[in-house]
Amino acid sequence: MAHLGRLLVPLAALVLLLWAVPGAHGRRSNVRVLTDENWTSLLEGEWMIEFYAPWCPACQNLQPEWESFAEWGEDLEVKVAKVDVTEQTGLSGRFIITALPSIYHCKDGEFRRYLGPRTKKDFINFISEKEWKNVEPVSSWFGPSSVLMTTMSALFQLSVYIRTSHSYFVHDLGIPAWGSYLVFAFATVFSGLLLGLCMIFVADCFCPSKRRKPQQHPTKKPSPELSQPLKKVEEEQEADEEDVSEEETENKEGASKDTQQSGLRQRSVGPSLATDKS
């Protein structure tokens, strides 16, 4: 019996340990995880969002306070979430995260940055006493759902893709660093040319160029009131021209007659001179 009692004691301790460990480490966190796929849920309801990085010491110190604050989420009717900027670069670009940790408050799609003390009590007072009303909201131009911030998010994701591709070319494929840079340079030039051609095609589709035709000056027809005086003037000009032509012909005939008479006179004078000499 003594030997059996010795075996039961360690066995009971092992059972208690196995029962206690899942309760301590398997407790479900009340902090929600936001990603590039589900971030649009922020646009409805009230939220408190923390942007952090696993390597950031300040973020690590904030985690216990943030977890404790999340336990009050149901009582305060606020959803507590966090975003890992090392994995969700698109969200980091949407909010322009320049310091860690960064905390934002969102109420029905209106965003405000929290700049107060970072303790559980201060977080609770910020929500319960509605201190967020004293903070100026982020402009709609720079809101995470705006076109500008959507473009910024795409640029952040593109930068991560380029960095990942560079490391793949250099470390996995063994391409020199300058070779990787050359590949990206050609890709940039090619994409720029392709984008320019697409823009020209779209511009021609929506605003086609018009071919200019030579301007034809319309001939104005004279009115019947003006046509009669014009006809009279033309008839007078024609009559004057006929008179001039008749005078010219008469002058020519007179000149020809004069030349004939002078010729006859010379001929008649010629024989008379000959008889006188003889």
Side-chain angles (χ1 to χ4, degrees), residues 14 20 23 42 58 63 88 90 114-115 144 147 159 173 176 181 183 221 236 240 245 262 277:
L14 181 61
L42 293 172
Q63 289 308 308
Q88 310 301 327
Y114 177 82
L115 300 174
V147 177
S159 65
L173 299 181
Y181 296 146
V183 170
K221 295 182 179 180
E236 291 177 357
D240 294 338
S245 61
S262 62
K277 288 180 180 182

Side-chain angles (χ1 to χ4, degrees), residues 59-130:
C59 301
Q60 295 172 3
N61 296 331
L62 179 61
Q63 289 308 308
E65 297 289 338
W66 197 250
E67 291 286 346
S68 300
F69 168 61
E71 295 176 359
W72 287 75
E74 293 185 9
D75 298 331
L76 297 172
E77 296 182 353
V78 63
K79 300 172 185 177
V80 182
K82 63 181 179 180
V83 178
D84 186 354
V85 296
T86 60
E87 295 182 358
Q88 310 301 327
T89 54
L91 280 179
S92 176
R94 285 185 184 275
F95 287 85
I96 309 296
I97 302 302
T98 57
L100 294 173
S102 292
I103 300 173
Y104 277 85
H105 172 267
C106 178
K107 177 70 173 177
D108 297 328
E110 197 172 51
F111 292 85
R112 293 173 173 84
R113 187 168 183 177
Y114 177 82
L115 300 174
R118 297 172 181 178
T119 62
K120 169 185 156 183
K121 182 180 179 181
D122 293 306
F123 294 147
I124 293 173
N125 292 336
F126 186 77
I127 299 299
S128 61
E129 298 180 5
K130 296 185 179 181

Side-chain angles (χ1 to χ4, degrees), residues 240-251:
D240 294 338
E241 289 176 357
E242 289 177 357
D243 295 338
V244 170
S245 61
E246 289 178 357
E247 290 178 358
E248 289 179 353
T249 52
E250 290 177 356
N251 293 331

Side-chain angles (χ1 to χ4, degrees), residues 197-221:
L197 290 175
C198 292
M199 292 178 66
I200 293 172
F201 177 75
V202 172
D204 286 339
C205 289
F206 287 98
C207 301
S209 58
K210 296 181 180 179
R211 295 181 179 179
R212 293 184 177 179
K213 295 181 179 180
Q215 295 181 355
Q216 297 179 355
H217 299 284
T219 56
K220 295 182 180 180
K221 295 182 179 180

Side-chain angles (χ1 to χ4, degrees), residues 9-21:
V9 172
L11 185 61
L14 181 61
V15 171
L16 290 172
L17 182 62
L18 292 174
W19 177 80
V21 168

